[in-house]
């Protein structure tokens, strides 16, 4: 554990809590992509199967359980509890275009051809693109509420901090996880334009962040 890994975990947790509390308090999931949240729930499910096979630390176990619980609670709120506020007409990204290639790649590029390892690899690849339905939805509607952009900011910050974590581990331990690093770089690239808009528009006091409408 190093400061970048810890800060990344905290940023990730803050992002998920921000989103969950936004939906819970407002009793509305307007502007939130249910498809992205389902993909993230799938990411946590396939990644944390080792909860049943190995114990690393209390911190590790608690964080995994919290992430799983909040992910499925968020999906429940969107699709069950307050479904009437869910904008399905704007959440139209074809997730099969993500799931099929990711599943195929996880079978081709992994560290060991075992069920748990393939599922872990699948989760890493899927996480790198799971935010795309949300970004697509924001682009389609043309704007995002500030609370949603805060969620996306902390989610992107988590990935950036994890990249710093991998650099730190490489220099101090000689450890390099090619699958995690490459996937993390891809995911961080997706946030680059968003980070710029977040700093120049949201942090300067605009209640919503407007984006270019698709042609």
């Amino acid at each position: 554990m190093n400061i970048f890994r810890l800060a990344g975990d905290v940023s990730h947790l803050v992002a998920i809590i921000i989103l969950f509390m936004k939906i819970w308090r407002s009793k509305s999931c307007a502007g939130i992509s249910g498809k992205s949240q389902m993909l993230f729930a799938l990411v946590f499910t396939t990644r944390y199967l080792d909860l049943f096979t190995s114990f690393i630390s209390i911190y590790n176990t608690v964080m995994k359980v919290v992430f799983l619980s909040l992910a499925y609670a968020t999906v429940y709120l969107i699709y069950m509890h307050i479904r009437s506020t869910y904008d399905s007409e704007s959440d139209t990204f074809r997730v099969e275009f993500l799931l099929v290639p990711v599943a195929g790649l996880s079978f081709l590029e992994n560290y060991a051809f075992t069920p748990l390892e393939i599922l872990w690899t699948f989760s890493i690849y899927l996480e790198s693109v799971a935010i795309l339905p949300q970004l697509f939805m924001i682009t389609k509607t043309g704007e995002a509420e500030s609370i949603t952009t805060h969620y996306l900011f902390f989610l992107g910050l988590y990935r950036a901090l994890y990249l710093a974590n991998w650099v730190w581990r490489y220099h101090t331990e000689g450890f390099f996880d090619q699958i995690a690093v490459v996937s993390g770089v891809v995911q961080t690239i997706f946030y680059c334009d968003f980070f710029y808009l977040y700093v120049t528009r949201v942090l300067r006091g605009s209640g919503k962040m407007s984006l270019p409408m698709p042609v």
Side-chain angles (χ1 to χ4, degrees):
M1 179 68 72
N2 58 67
I3 187 62
F4 299 111
R5 167 76 181 274
L6 181 60
D9 287 345
V10 171
S11 295
H12 197 184
L13 183 59
V14 168
I16 296 174
I17 291 175
I18 284 175
L19 182 67
F20 179 80
M21 294 306 297
K22 181 266 182 189
I23 297 173
W24 179 262
R25 289 181 175 178
S26 66
K27 305 300 180 184
S28 171
C29 58
I32 304 300
S33 170
K35 291 185 177 182
S36 270
Q37 296 311 308
M38 288 185 67
L39 292 179
F40 280 123
L42 182 58
V43 166
F44 295 140
T45 301
T46 52
R47 183 176 302 172
Y48 297 153
L49 290 173
D50 62 349
L51 276 171
F52 303 101
T53 61
S54 62
F55 176 78
I56 299 175
S57 67
I58 294 178
Y59 169 83
N60 184 273
T61 299
V62 169
M63 291 295 279
K64 289 177 179 178
V65 171
V66 170
F67 284 141
L68 279 166
S69 300
L70 286 175
Y72 278 100
T74 300
V75 170
Y76 169 77
L77 288 178
I78 294 173
Y79 286 102
M80 299 292 292
H81 189 61
I82 50 175
R83 183 178 177 83
S84 60
T85 65
Y86 171 52
D87 185 8
S88 59
E89 293 184 358
S90 296
D91 194 15
T92 57
F93 192 94
R94 300 285 295 276
V95 295
E96 59 267 31
F97 291 155
L98 302 178
L99 290 172
V100 173
V102 164
L105 187 59
S106 65
F107 276 93
L108 296 173
E109 292 290 335
N110 53 68
Y111 293 131
F113 202 75
T114 62
L116 283 180
E117 188 65 30
I118 290 173
L119 288 171
W120 177 86
T121 305
F122 171 82
S123 76
I124 297 296
Y125 292 148
L126 182 59
E127 186 182 20
S128 68
V129 295
I131 198 61
L132 288 181
Q134 179 67 66
L135 297 178
F136 178 80
M137 185 177 185
I138 292 176
T139 302
K140 187 174 182 179
T141 58
E143 63 180 20
E145 294 182 1
S146 60
I147 194 69
T148 305
T149 60
H150 295 331
Y151 158 72
L152 291 172
F153 172 78
F154 279 103
L155 207 57
L157 181 61
Y158 141 67
R159 290 316 312 176
L161 288 167
Y162 254 63
L163 287 180
N165 163 64
W166 296 127
V167 172
W168 176 266
R169 293 192 64 183
Y170 178 75
H171 283 289
T172 59
E173 305 171 24
F175 178 82
F176 181 75
D177 186 332
Q178 180 177 336
I179 291 176
V181 171
V182 172
S183 298
V185 169
V186 170
Q187 187 175 359
T188 304
I189 289 173
F190 288 138
Y191 288 95
C192 288
D193 286 344
F194 170 81
F195 281 148
Y196 173 76
L197 292 173
Y198 182 86
V199 172
T200 58
R201 299 185 185 184
V202 177
L203 294 185
R204 292 183 179 179
S206 175
K208 294 184 178 182
M209 183 176 73
S210 298
L211 299 173
M213 292 289 287
V215 178

